[in-house]
Amino acid sequence: MTSYAIRRLREPPASSRWLAQQFPHRAWLIADLQGRISRAPAPIRACAPEPDRFGQAMERTLALDLCDAPPYLQLIKQLPEAGMRRLLTTAGYAPTTDTPDGPWGKTTDHIPGARLFTVGSLLPDLDRAVHTLHGSNPHEAREVIQAVLRDRRAITAYATGTRAARPAFAAFWASYTSGFRKALRGCGPVTASLSLLGGLRTVDFLAGSTIVEYKTGHFDEAHHLDALVEQMLAYALLAPGSGHPVTAVVMYLARYHVLARYPLGTFFAHLAGQPVDSAEAGCCFAALVQAEQPARRPTAL
């Protein structure tokens, strides 16, 4: 006789249950996205060996292309100074003043995409290394990162992964530059990796007053789109309270050549089935998200 272990599904957190109660009419948006996908050209078939890492690398590559000021600067500053300067210069940025720690700015919009992808592919690995070293003092963290940068095996693994992802990159970049880049730039100045509610949520991009979520994965099932809608709801509700007024949301489903934009009032009202006081709803949702965070242990003196 064969026995089967039945895994109980974990109950959604209170914040997700609240979103489902307050914004129950998601079917219209899911149907709209499915319609856009069905009407778009054939989806990109190319897949990278590590899909999650590839999606992160593409997001960072687009950020390097779209942002006038260097994105992810706090992360990049974990590199040795020479490495930081080389990376930023490779991505098309240069110091705007003569001071050593002065701001950097974009010098050209014509950096080849393949060059940007070389830099963008490094940033997810650097991000993981920094998070692994969380709690270390800055000097120790930099020493560890420098040791990794000198490790031939680490460099070889990075180069091998990036090279294997280049065919997929070429397909996604060709789609992006066919008109989506222009559309995103038309929304306004772009900020990448926007922190909300003290870092409890992070938006891919804020373009002017438009929240943009970039996805390279497959959306073959309605529940995948439902999760995306919930993610966008959370961002749109939390952004104003974090000092970022929002007027629209964009879901960029890159694999399907779909960039779906919804004015915020329409987005909320359709999902709720009635007009929404977004400020009040944002405060309620933020309180629930904060209440779900584990209590921090006191720091030993």
Side-chain angles (χ1 to χ4, degrees), residues 10 40 69 103 137 139 141-142 170 176 184 188 197 221 223 237 255 267 269:
R10 192 172 60 181
N137 70 56
H139 178 69
R142 284 192 174 86
Y176 164 67
L184 291 173
L197 207 62
E221 304 291 340
H223 69 88
L237 289 168
R255 183 170 294 277
F267 181 71

Side-chain angles (χ1 to χ4, degrees), residues 185-207:
R185 286 181 172 171
C187 293
V190 177
T191 301
S193 192
L194 186 72
S195 177
L196 304 179
L197 207 62
L200 297 181
R201 297 289 189 276
T202 305
V203 175
D204 286 350
F205 306 109
L206 183 68

Side-chain angles (χ1 to χ4, degrees), residues 27 43 47 60 92 94 114 118 127 137 144 160 162 164 185 188 231 254 263 275:
C47 292
R60 285 150 180 79
T118 299
D127 192 31
N137 70 56
V144 172
T160 300
T162 302
R185 286 181 172 171
Q231 185 180 7

Side-chain angles (χ1 to χ4, degrees), residues 9 35 41 73 76 95 98 100 107 109 134 141 144 182 192 199 202 228 237 244 262 266 269 292 300:
L9 294 177
L73 197 53
I76 294 170
D98 294 332
T107 59
D109 287 328
H134 182 69
V144 172
K182 183 178 179 180
T202 305
L228 174 60
L237 289 168
H244 305 287
Y262 302 95
T266 302
E292 290 166 356

Side-chain angles (χ1 to χ4, degrees), residues 73-87:
L73 197 53
Q74 290 305 113
L75 176 64
I76 294 170
K77 283 183 176 180
Q78 299 298 318
L79 293 169
E81 184 177 352
M84 180 192 77
R85 287 182 169 274
R86 189 178 304 116
L87 186 149

